[in-house]
Amino acid sequence: MNIKQLAQKYEKAKHGLMKHSSLQITDNREVIADGCRKIISCDDNIVIIDGAQARVTITGDSLKLRNWGTDGVTISGKVKSVEFDENVKGGSYV
């Protein structure tokens, strides 16, 4: 087995373990998204992320991403709405 095959197996195993995500909303000023798989779109007014089971759309004013990494992301600013689309899982429509 070469290094590329080993890396692919690792990513597949890691992806399979992350079956849940969570959101922590503090007032209307911060959203902590643990288990975020991918940031689809981001600007001052809208952030779209893929969680383990649904796509999450956060709208607001002066939105900024902070502390983003492999485990999740923190979105700060004035949050106006949070919407879930369960028809999208892991970046692909089902």
Side-chain angles (χ1 to χ4, degrees), residues 5 16-17 28 51 55 58 61 64 66-67 71-73 76 78-79 83 94:
Q5 291 170 326
L17 291 175
N28 67 331
R55 182 164 286 175
I58 300 161
D61 294 322
K64 293 182 171 110
R66 297 184 297 117
N67 302 332
D71 295 334
V73 65
S76 61
K78 185 175 180 184
V79 177
E83 178 183 329
V94 292

Side-chain angles (χ1 to χ4, degrees), residues 36-42 47-50 65 68-69 72-73:
C36 170
R37 290 190 174 174
K38 185 192 298 185
I39 297 168
I40 303 300
S41 177
C42 173
V47 175
I48 303 172
I49 59 175
D50 272 348
L65 297 181
W68 51 327
V73 65

Side-chain angles (χ1 to χ4, degrees), residues 24 26 28-33 42-47 58-67 73-80:
Q24 176 183 333
T26 305
N28 67 331
R29 293 290 175 190
E30 182 178 71
V31 177
I32 299 172
C42 173
D43 65 31
D44 288 346
N45 300 311
I46 189 167
V47 175
I58 300 161
T59 61
D61 294 322
S62 302
L63 299 178
K64 293 182 171 110
L65 297 181
R66 297 184 297 117
N67 302 332
V73 65
T74 300
I75 301 144
S76 61
K78 185 175 180 184
V79 177
K80 292 185 177 178

